[in-house]
């Protein structure tokens, strides 16, 4: 529809119709068994409000959504089509690894392909917008939603946010099989005090701009059609009422002109926050802050008309919000094609198709991170007696949180596929214990807690497992978190494995020293005991529909692990938050030896995490040599000046392997303190046995910019050091100077 037609439409709409466009209701108002992703389903809307709402969330299914669209358009005086939105966070029905695992691939093209595949399955199911990517920077493993982000690094998060938006939207969101992205949660939702869900965020303005906003900005630059507000406060102002954050920063500073949607019930929650007296004041604060769509609360439909008639809210503010919603519908082509790609034939043809499964399997393979290996891996493919033990050996649900459409019947368990893929060994499979105790109070989105054993059954199963372990050549322990222990509203104070699983590890370690431990989890855990008792540790995160194949092929060497940690594993929860790009402090701790008490250290634990950002092992053996830079001076005044930083990487093994060559830069002195190093680039390369490759990075002045003492984003002359290596612990940087 032409822009002028949209303007005419807006002018012809009644006040009630306009306000209706700003209401988003959950699917349970329109269809049976719609998943609920928030605290309540009933918010007291009238039948008329339901009939004329502008958008619906948590619905899917071509046939259903065509019917709902017909019903809504018929009720609308101007027959305006509705928007359908859904949380497709790491796959629709073909489930990809949880985003923290995707972050470990260091392969943005793979992640972009996954987003494109997810968009296709989502679009044929009738959905127009996905509430993804989640771009919240998070460095706190206690927070349940670290699984939903791509790690602790602002640069890496920005790379992935861009890749996902491009994957979902393509070049034109109106195109077939594309859906709109929704960058969330604006802003800094990943920094709740204590790692506790929905808790207060306290961050300096400089750190907000330097570390927490860049990834969202990459999403806006990539053309994301929508942004979602975060539940938290910033500067003691809830984001959903934060005019400075939404109008000055998001719209004016970042140039976002799309639709801003509240998170679930977040407008009415302004009352709980204590900055709104009632729904009327909440509506006034949110609409004036620039929030266009109110998700699952009715302060707009109940109060906006009165607020406008009384002059407390300008008519223009309402018109601006409604025009953005109509413009988004127009961008999607809904006025001409209200069903867009909704197609039962498309669902049959594309959902879980072979190509999609293959892409999910490749992404899962590259998301796995080998943390320890004394040579026990890869497993021999014949002549071994191997006991697979633990609650994940026969578990098909390797999806993790936010896999709303996933279905266990789509996947295979390790116990099904290992004998098929690698038939020339002897295998035992023992579930051994529940993931979590039967009486755990775990609840979650679209899931119910299922546990296999009663307490007595579990005791017998553990006994049997230990006996089996004693008789085996090798034990492969498959343990981890329950998927309901991660995701939204799943913050924890204890990041160790469930106690029964640690007991299993303890008892098996007494009868067999050849232990390979595979972990399925949605956050970095305190795995000191696992590290101590295992000959190898493979971090599998929640690898998705094809995850069992990826794990099996990695264990037996068909696939060589190439994942690198996108988030540090803390030594213990007392170290949290821990991240590589820390500041030196005035009393830096130079070595682990206690030479000087009076330095930045702990009495009882090391400063270093158990496993650092960027770390991961391979079955290949890579060396880095001939680190060099093309010159030692970079001139700000010289347009397009750059330094080439190179390294030669060699694969000394007899297996093909992929290595993630990482470039870090340190700004030795600034007008404000600067991190000890920052990731500025990476290249994932594949090396044949005995092959060498020279990897070159271009270092430019633009890469050296930061928010200086005056909050101006610019570089400052001085000394810099370049570190190129296989993780964030590199030292002996190559020095260069930036000059005017
Ligand atoms: C939830 C989440 C948000 C999600 C929304 C809709 O509360 O915070 O990430 O997209 O509601 O399901």
């Amino acid at each position: 529809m032409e822009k002028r037609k949209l303007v005419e439409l807006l002018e012809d709409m009644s006040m009630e119709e306009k306000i209706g466009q700003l209401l988003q209701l959950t699917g349970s108002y329109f269809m049976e068994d719609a998943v609920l992703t928030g605290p309540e389903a009933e918010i007291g809307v009238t039948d008329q409000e339901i009939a004329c709402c502008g958008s619906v969330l948590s619905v899917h299914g071509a046939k259903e959504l065509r019917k709902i669209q017909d019903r809504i358009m018929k009720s609308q005086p101007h027959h305006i089509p509705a928007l359908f939105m859904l949380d497709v966070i790491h796959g629709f029905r073909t489930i990809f690894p949880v985003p923290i695992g995707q972050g470990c691939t260091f392969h943005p093209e793979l992640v972009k392909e996954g987003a494109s595949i997810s968009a296709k399955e989502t679009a044929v199911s009738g959905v127009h917008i996905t509430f993804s990517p989640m771009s919240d920077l998070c460095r706190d493993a206690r927070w349940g939603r670290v699984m939903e982000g791509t790690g602790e690094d602002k640069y890496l998060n920005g790379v992935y946010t861009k890749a996902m938006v491009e994957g979902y939207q393509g070049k034109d969101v109106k195109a077939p099989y594309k859906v709109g992205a929704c960058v969330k949660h604006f802003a800094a939702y990943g920094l709740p005090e204590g790692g506790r869900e929905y808790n207060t965020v306290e961050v300096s303005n400089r750190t907000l701009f330097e570390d927490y906003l860049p990834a969202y900005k990459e999403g806006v630059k990539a053309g994301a059609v929508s942004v979602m507000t975060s539940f938290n406060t910033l500067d003691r102002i809830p984001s959903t009422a934060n005019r400075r954050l939404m109008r000055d920063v998001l719209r004016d500073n970042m140039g976002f002109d799309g639709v801003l949607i509240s998170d679930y019930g977040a407008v009415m929650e302004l009352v709980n926050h204590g900055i709104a007296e009632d729904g009327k004041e909440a509506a006034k604060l949110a609409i004036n802050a620039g929030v266009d769509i109110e998700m699952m609360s009715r302060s707009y439909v109940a109060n906006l008309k009165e607020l406008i008639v009384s002059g407390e809210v300008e008519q223009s503010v309402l018109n601006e919000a409604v025009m953005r919603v109509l413009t988004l519908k127009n961008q999607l082509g809904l006025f001409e094609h209200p069903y867009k790609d909704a197609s039962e034939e498309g669902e049959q043809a594309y959902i879980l198709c072979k190509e999609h499964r293959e892409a999910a399997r490749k992404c899962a393979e590259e998301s796995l991170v080998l943390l320890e290996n004394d040579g026990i891996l890869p497993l021999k493919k014949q002549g071994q007696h191997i006991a697979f033990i633990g609650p994940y050996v026969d578990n098909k649900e390797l999806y993790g949180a936010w896999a709303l459409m996933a279905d266990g019947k789509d996947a295979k368990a390790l116990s099904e596929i290992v004998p098929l893929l690698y038939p020339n060994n002897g295998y035992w499979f023992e579930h051994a214990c529940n993931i979590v105790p039967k009486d755990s109070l775990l609840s979650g989105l679209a899931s119910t807690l299922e546990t296999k054993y009663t307490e007595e059954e579990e005791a017998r199963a553990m006994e049997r497992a230990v006996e089996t372990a004693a008789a085996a050549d090798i034990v492969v322990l498959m343990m981890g978190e329950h998927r309901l222990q991660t995701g939204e509203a799943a913050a924890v104070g204890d990041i160790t494995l469930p106690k029964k699983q640690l007991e299993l590890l303890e008892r098996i370690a007494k009868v067999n020293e050849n232990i390979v431990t595979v972990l399925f989890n949605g956050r970095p855990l305190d795995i000191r005991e696992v590290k101590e008792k295992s000959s190898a540790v493979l971090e599998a995160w929640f690898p998705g529909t094809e995850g069992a194949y990826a794990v099996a092929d990695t264990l037996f060497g068909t696939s060589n692990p190439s994942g690198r940690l996108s988030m540090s594993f803390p030594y213990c929860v007392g170290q949290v938050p821990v991240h590589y790009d820390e500041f030196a402090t005035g009393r830096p701790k130079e070595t682990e030896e206690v030479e000087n008490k009076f330095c930045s250290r702990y009495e009882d634990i090391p400063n270093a995490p158990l496993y650092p950002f960027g770390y991961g092992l391979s079955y290949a053996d890579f060396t880095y040599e001939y680190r060099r830079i093309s010159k030692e001076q970079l001139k700000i005044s010289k347009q397009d000046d750059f330094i080439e930083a190179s390294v030669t990487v060699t694969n000394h093994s007899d297996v093909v392997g992929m290595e993630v060559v990482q470039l870090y830069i340190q700004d030795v002195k600034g007008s404000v303190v600067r991190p000890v190093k920052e990731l500025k680039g990476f290249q994932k390369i594949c090396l044949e046995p005995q092959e060498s490759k020279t990897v070159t990075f271009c270092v430019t002045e633009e890469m050296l910019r930061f928010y200086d003492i005056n909050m101006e984003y610019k570089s400052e002359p001085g000394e810099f050091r370049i570190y190129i290596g296989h993780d964030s612990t590199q030292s002996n940087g190559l020095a260069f100077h930036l000059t005017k």
Side-chain angles (χ1 to χ4, degrees):
M1 186 190 285
E2 289 169 41
K3 171 84 175 168
R4 65 181 178 78
K5 290 279 188 193
L6 278 184
V7 174
E8 287 167 12
L9 170 60
L10 181 71
E11 284 164 357
D12 201 41
M13 289 165 71
S14 69
M15 178 87 80
E16 288 74 8
E17 209 182 344
K18 287 179 181 177
I19 294 168
Q21 286 298 305
L22 308 187
L23 172 65
Q24 179 169 106
L25 294 175
T26 194
S28 53
Y29 285 97
F30 298 92
M31 63 190 281
E32 297 300 317
D33 69 19
V35 69
L36 190 63
T37 60
E40 57 189 325
E42 285 303 323
I43 58 172
V45 283
T46 66
D47 290 345
Q48 177 57 17
E49 289 164 356
I50 295 168
C52 290
C53 79
S55 57
V56 184
L57 80 144
S58 300
V59 286
H60 58 89
K63 189 175 177 186
E64 277 290 348
L65 292 196
R66 283 170 168 267
K67 281 194 290 192
I68 295 171
Q69 190 69 293
D70 290 343
R71 181 177 144 195
I72 289 175
M73 289 178 71
K74 189 165 174 239
S75 311
Q76 294 270 352
H78 288 84
H79 312 300
I80 299 171
L83 282 169
F84 296 127
M85 304 190 188
L86 182 66
D87 292 283
V88 181
I89 309 301
H90 52 106
F92 177 79
R93 184 75 183 274
T94 305
I95 304 299
F96 287 75
V98 286
I100 193 171
Q102 294 190 42
C104 293
T105 65
F106 278 77
H107 198 162
E109 297 74 26
L110 217 50
V111 170
K112 179 174 176 179
E113 184 193 10
S116 180
I117 285 169
S118 304
K120 190 166 193 176
E121 294 191 357
T122 302
V124 296
S125 303
V127 177
H128 308 132
I129 305 271
T130 175
F131 294 128
S132 173
M134 188 271 226
S135 305
D136 305 321
L137 179 68
C138 186
R139 294 153 165 181
D140 193 326
R142 293 169 295 183
W143 193 46
R145 299 189 79 164
V146 292
M147 52 67 57
E148 206 176 335
T150 47
E152 73 185 49
D153 183 73
K154 61 187 179 190
Y155 168 78
L156 194 60
N157 281 356
V159 167
Y160 285 124
T161 293
K162 177 176 182 289
M164 289 182 191
V165 170
E166 291 173 349
Y168 291 133
Q169 298 191 169
K171 294 196 181 338
D172 177 359
V173 72
K174 191 181 293 182
Y177 312 130
K178 290 303 170 189
V179 295
C182 181
V183 173
K184 68 186 187 184
H185 305 78
F186 201 74
Y189 177 33
L191 186 56
E193 273 186 2
R196 197 179 81 212
E197 184 61 286
Y198 313 127
N199 204 6
T200 302
V201 170
E202 285 294 346
V203 64
S204 72
N205 191 50
R206 181 185 312 286
T207 298
L208 176 68
F209 275 80
E210 192 71 61
D211 298 338
Y212 287 86
L213 293 183
Y216 305 118
K217 187 168 186 175
E218 285 303 314
V220 171
K221 278 165 58 183
V225 297
S226 59
V227 168
M228 184 185 292
T229 69
S230 61
F231 286 120
N232 56 284
T233 57
L234 261 180
D235 198 18
R236 301 189 184 188
I237 305 167
S239 299
T240 307
N242 195 323
R243 282 180 76 119
R244 172 180 172 267
L245 187 66
M246 297 307 169
R247 290 191 182 276
D248 302 347
V249 176
L250 178 61
R251 294 203 185 278
D252 297 349
N253 178 296
M254 292 189 183
F256 176 65
D257 62 358
V259 167
L260 180 59
I261 182 169
S262 80
D263 203 338
Y264 198 109
V267 175
M268 270 309 279
E269 287 175 11
L270 297 177
V271 177
N272 297 339
H273 277 289
I275 69 156
E277 184 68 36
D278 51 25
K280 182 179 174 186
E281 189 173 13
K284 179 179 172 184
L285 288 168
I287 193 85
N288 282 331
V291 178
D292 301 315
I293 293 180
E294 177 179 15
M295 183 195 295
M296 276 307 283
S297 56
R298 62 183 298 274
S299 65
Y300 281 14
V301 290
N303 299 288
L304 271 186
K305 180 168 186 177
E306 183 188 341
L307 285 164
I308 288 166
V309 169
S310 68
E312 290 183 75
V313 170
E314 296 293 329
Q315 175 73 49
S316 62
V317 170
L318 172 63
N319 288 345
E320 163 198 304
V322 177
M323 179 50 87
R324 280 196 286 261
V325 174
L326 296 177
T327 301
L328 176 51
K329 294 182 177 186
N330 199 36
Q331 274 179 282
L332 288 157
L334 298 183
F335 288 102
E336 294 77 20
H337 305 288
Y339 307 135
K340 195 170 187 298
D341 302 308
S343 151
E344 290 176 84
E345 298 74 22
E347 289 173 314
Q348 286 301 317
Y350 300 124
I351 290 179
L352 283 168
C353 68
K354 180 170 171 291
E355 293 75 18
H356 291 185
R357 284 180 178 271
E358 286 170 353
R361 183 166 174 172
K362 178 163 175 45
C363 191
E365 286 171 359
E366 293 200 30
S367 69
L368 306 184
V369 187
L370 185 61
L371 297 176
E372 296 288 343
N373 185 24
D374 68 0
I376 193 171
L377 288 180
L379 300 173
K380 295 184 176 67
K381 294 179 182 173
Q382 67 280 323
Q384 297 277 291
H385 287 93
I386 304 173
F388 284 79
I389 296 175
Y392 274 101
V393 298
D394 52 357
N395 192 328
K396 299 180 179 184
E397 308 266 339
L398 304 181
Y399 301 127
W402 286 113
L404 304 184
M405 284 60 68
D407 188 324
K409 70 176 184 338
D410 301 336
K412 299 282 186 195
L414 264 293
S415 55
E416 294 175 285
I417 57 169
V418 165
L420 291 178
L421 295 181
Y422 303 98
N424 300 323
N425 283 322
Y427 298 113
W428 293 281
F429 297 96
E430 294 286 355
H431 190 91
C433 65
N434 294 327
I435 298 176
V436 290
K438 201 159 185 59
D439 58 0
S440 298
L441 298 176
L442 290 176
S443 61
L445 309 177
S447 302
T448 53
L449 178 67
E450 71 296 324
T451 47
K452 191 178 180 82
Y453 297 126
T454 64
E455 208 167 313
E456 297 70 27
E457 289 167 343
E458 189 174 56
R460 287 198 297 277
M462 291 271 278
E463 204 55 52
R464 196 169 55 245
V466 174
E467 288 162 12
T468 303
D473 298 322
I474 289 176
V475 175
V476 179
L477 269 180
M478 311 202 96
M479 316 199 290
E481 292 182 293
H482 193 285
R483 68 178 181 282
L484 299 181
Q485 289 179 288
T486 77
E488 183 173 354
V492 293
D494 176 355
I495 58 171
T496 59
L497 281 164
K499 297 290 173 272
K500 191 57 80 174
Q501 294 185 53
L502 288 175
E503 180 194 331
L504 178 67
L505 168 64
E506 178 85 29
R507 290 173 61 180
I508 285 180
K510 289 195 173 93
V511 299
N512 195 321
E513 63 183 11
N514 299 319
I515 296 175
V516 173
T517 300
V518 184
L519 294 172
F520 298 91
N521 44 299
R523 59 165 52 87
L525 295 171
D526 171 355
I527 55 170
R528 282 176 288 165
E529 276 192 69
V530 171
K531 172 183 164 87
E532 182 198 326
K533 294 182 169 65
S534 304
S535 299
V537 180
L538 180 67
E539 175 54 67
W541 303 110
F542 285 105
T545 305
E546 298 295 308
Y549 285 102
V551 169
D553 281 347
T554 301
L555 289 173
F556 286 93
T558 306
S559 171
N560 185 355
S562 63
R564 300 289 181 266
L565 288 180
S566 60
M567 190 170 175
S568 307
F569 268 59
Y571 184 83
C572 63
V573 72
Q575 219 181 45
V576 169
V578 60
H579 50 96
Y580 81 92
D581 53 344
E582 60 181 7
F583 300 117
T585 76
R587 297 190 176 184
K589 179 181 180 184
E590 304 301 348
T591 67
E592 282 309 325
E593 285 63 49
V594 182
E595 290 158 2
N596 164 15
K597 177 177 176 57
F598 300 99
C599 69
S600 180
R601 55 186 281 277
Y602 299 98
E603 283 288 359
D604 54 349
I605 60 173
N607 288 11
L610 196 65
Y611 298 105
F613 175 83
Y615 169 86
L617 302 176
S618 169
Y619 295 148
D621 170 20
F622 298 115
T623 58
Y624 284 67
E625 295 161 297
Y626 316 122
R627 288 179 175 81
R628 56 202 176 280
I629 53 179
S630 57
K631 57 185 181 181
E632 295 180 0
Q633 191 178 70
L634 188 61
K635 289 174 77 69
I636 297 173
S637 59
K638 187 178 173 192
Q639 187 72 17
D640 300 334
D641 197 6
F642 64 89
I643 289 176
E644 284 192 342
S646 306
V647 66
T648 299
V649 186
T650 301
N651 174 2
H652 294 279
S653 75
D654 58 1
V655 294
V656 177
M658 285 192 280
E659 171 66 333
V660 180
V661 183
Q662 300 160 41
L663 169 76
Y664 296 86
I665 295 179
Q666 176 188 12
D667 183 350
V668 175
K669 186 188 83 60
S671 55
V672 296
V673 296
R674 309 282 292 120
V676 294
K677 59 169 69 89
E678 296 173 285
L679 181 71
K680 293 292 184 181
F682 57 89
Q683 294 183 36
K684 190 165 196 176
I685 60 173
C686 184
L687 288 174
E688 296 294 329
Q690 309 308 320
E691 183 183 13
S692 291
K693 272 181 187 170
T694 295
V695 177
T696 300
F697 295 94
C698 242
V699 176
T700 64
E701 176 273 330
E702 190 179 349
M703 292 160 72
L704 311 179
R705 295 177 188 169
F706 65 100
Y707 287 94
D708 72 1
I709 190 72
N710 302 311
M711 281 299 285
E712 290 175 24
Y713 192 66
K714 53 195 272 202
S715 60
E716 293 176 352
E719 183 185 351
F720 291 79
R721 296 201 187 109
I722 290 176
Y723 304 89
I724 307 180
H726 53 75
D727 65 32
S728 57
T729 63
Q730 302 310 304
S731 52
N732 308 319
L734 299 170
F736 74 91
H737 281 77
L738 179 69
T739 60
K740 287 191 184 317

